[in-house]
Amino acid sequence: MHSYDVVVIGAGAAGLFCAGIAGQAGLRVLVIDHAEKVAEKIRISGGGRCNFTNRDAGPANFLSENPHFCRSALARYTPQDFIALVQRHRIGWHEKHKGQLFCDESSEDIIRLLLRECEAGGVTRWQPCRVAAVRHGSAGFECDTDRGTVRSTRLVVATGGLSIPRIGASDFGYRLARQFGHRIVQTRPALVPLTFDGEVWAPFSGLAGVALPVSIRTGEGRAQGHFDEDLLFTHRGLSGPAVLQISSHWRAGQPLTIDLCPGLDLAAALRNAKPGSRRQLATVLAEHLPQRLAEAWLHALGMDGARALADTRDRDLAVLAQRLQSWQLLPSGTEGYRKAEVTAGGVDTRELSSQTLESRRIPGLHFVGEVVDVTGWLGGYNFQWAWASAAACARAMAAAMP
């Protein structure tokens, strides 16, 4: 029988980072993953350049049924800590937008960083290797794998969520958590495009590819989400950063409210342009919206875009502006896990220690990264949670060494 201090199930961002830190602290660590390639989600992230953190990441940028849980780990391993690690590995990086940090060259740079950190800690990796069963007893944990049974004092579950099944996502971590008595907060696709019924979307289906900055919101009270970002029309619905962000807050049956001209009093702008103007209504409206979108909206409202602005009634302009700046629509669903960047929900954090990510039910059992009910905004926040939760777990395990 193989024996280690720590077995980490999952060779993604959180799993590899946790293994590297634990190994360098003197623990004997084994990482097991069923996929042939390591860290595929890192490889495809950020358009192949990996948005590896966000400079401004903090607890307010994360969703959870237990919203304060992430505070401890995020405070003890910050974006600046990971930036320093990236610089030590001589990886070029740049800030793209709203604190989002990307590799200058390739996501492979971050994967190589993690593998080098694991090598520095003497970490063993079995991949591809499937875990068939896990048992817990007085001596710790036993995992039956394709390469035999392995025993460990501690077990770290870093299996990720259900997003992007084509690269190996599975529900293994949730099944394992349930096996040991943990509650799972209902999972759902997050950071995902939204879809609409065909008849509802028919007036806008021809706008695929049109993009513009918007203000978007959904929900009420503390559950409300509100973002100022870019929106993208698709054949089936809406995408772009604004919609990906709001999708994490959206629940079935909730409407969205979208301001297509944020920061502008559109009604006043149209009225002010009216005196003496012989320009067409569609032409004037296209000064504030992409032309195809302006024409589609006028058609949907039954307004003649060829009519001179001066001949259009003020009350019609007011209705047009109100509809454009308070567009309410009801999504029928999402593009699902195949297009979702992350999975919301997961292992209930009220049954974990925020200091160590250790189970309150089973000593020595830890959950880190996306498998936990902590979901970040779009823009590097979820990677920061992976680094922070992994670091908290690894340091706690090292501190508990006999």
Side-chain angles (χ1 to χ4, degrees):
M1 178 167 312
H2 306 277
S3 181
Y4 290 86
D5 297 317
V6 179
V7 167
V8 179
I9 305 179
L16 290 176
F17 198 54
C18 182
I21 295 173
Q24 291 179 46
L27 295 170
R28 293 174 298 117
V29 182
L30 169 67
V31 176
I32 306 174
D33 197 293
H34 70 285
E36 289 189 8
K37 293 184 178 180
V38 67
E40 273 292 273
K41 202 164 187 181
I42 294 177
R43 184 171 285 108
I44 66 172
S45 69
R49 291 192 174 181
C50 188
N51 180 191
F52 57 81
T53 191
N54 192 294
R55 191 190 296 278
D56 303 320
N61 305 118
F62 294 84
L63 304 177
S64 173
E65 280 196 1
N66 182 18
H68 297 297
F69 177 82
C70 65
R71 189 177 300 273
S72 175
L74 291 170
R76 289 181 291 132
Y77 194 89
T78 68
Q80 289 68 36
D81 291 322
F82 195 76
I83 292 168
L85 180 63
V86 167
Q87 291 173 330
R88 285 203 300 274
H89 283 260
R90 300 183 182 279
I91 296 172
W93 58 273
H94 60 277
E95 183 172 337
K96 189 172 181 180
H97 177 64
K98 294 187 176 181
Q100 301 171 14
L101 306 187
F102 291 78
C103 296
D104 286 346
E105 299 297 331
S106 169
S107 301
E108 296 286 348
D109 289 336
I110 299 298
I111 296 173
R112 285 191 288 267
L113 176 156
L114 295 172
L115 293 178
R116 286 196 294 265
E117 290 292 304
C118 285
E119 290 168 6
V123 173
T124 302
R125 182 160 51 92
W126 290 357
Q127 193 174 5
C129 181
R130 185 178 64 91
V131 177
V134 177
R135 295 176 295 278
H136 176 255
S138 57
F141 298 87
E142 288 185 357
C143 298
D144 295 334
T145 81
D146 294 342
R147 303 192 189 186
T149 300
V150 59
R151 178 179 294 157
S152 65
T153 304
R154 293 182 179 271
L155 181 67
V156 178
V157 181
T159 50
L162 302 171
S163 306
I164 323 180
R166 65 182 173 82
I167 61 172
S170 80
D171 67 347
F172 181 83
Y174 306 131
R175 287 188 280 118
L176 195 59
R178 288 192 181 100
Q179 174 187 329
F180 290 113
H182 280 269
R183 173 179 175 264
I184 303 298
V185 175
Q186 183 175 4
T187 58
R188 65 187 191 280
L191 301 184
V192 63
L194 298 175
T195 59
F196 299 83
D197 290 334
E199 185 175 340
V200 171
W201 199 243
F204 307 103
S205 60
L207 296 175
V210 170
L212 72 163
V214 303
S215 180
I216 188 169
R217 57 186 169 88
T218 193
E220 296 180 352
R222 291 184 179 180
Q224 185 181 85
H226 185 187
F227 295 94
D228 296 318
E229 285 280 7
D230 288 348
L231 174 146
L232 174 68
F233 284 81
T234 72
H235 291 291
R236 289 165 44 86
L238 295 172
S239 187
V243 171
L244 298 185
Q245 293 280 39
I246 210 68
S247 70
S248 297
H249 294 262
W250 179 76
R251 300 291 191 278
Q254 285 183 342
L256 305 177
T257 301
I258 303 176
D259 181 351
L260 294 168
C261 298
L264 173 69
D265 184 340
L266 182 59
L270 293 174
R271 285 197 310 270
N272 292 339
K274 183 176 177 180
S277 175
R278 302 312 301 169
R279 290 184 300 164
Q280 294 180 348
L281 174 58
T283 300
V284 177
L285 188 58
E287 294 177 355
H288 307 291
L289 295 171
Q291 184 171 351
R292 287 167 58 198
L293 179 58
E295 292 171 352
W297 261 99
L298 291 170
H299 180 75
L301 294 177
M303 299 180 70
D304 183 5
R307 177 188 289 270
L309 179 63
D311 296 335
T312 307
R313 296 179 299 181
D314 285 352
R315 65 183 182 183
D316 291 337
L317 295 178
V319 169
L320 172 62
Q322 191 276 331
R323 294 287 296 273
L324 286 169
Q325 296 204 274
S326 186
W327 183 22
Q328 287 213 340
L329 63 170
L330 184 64
S332 60
T334 76
E335 290 284 3
Y337 289 115
R338 68 186 184 91
K339 290 288 187 71
E341 296 197 12
V342 295
T343 302
V347 178
D348 190 342
T349 60
R350 286 166 291 205
E351 299 175 352
L352 305 177
S353 163
S354 64
Q355 299 288 318
T356 66
L357 283 298
E358 185 174 9
S359 167
R360 298 188 187 279
R361 294 176 174 273
I362 308 294
L365 177 63
H366 302 253
F367 295 88
V368 298
E370 189 180 349
V371 73
V372 173
D373 175 34
V374 175
T375 304
W377 290 6
L378 180 74
Y381 298 98
N382 287 291
F383 276 126
Q384 185 58 36
W385 170 245
W387 316 138
S389 60
C393 173
R395 290 167 174 173
M397 292 189 299
M401 283 180 65

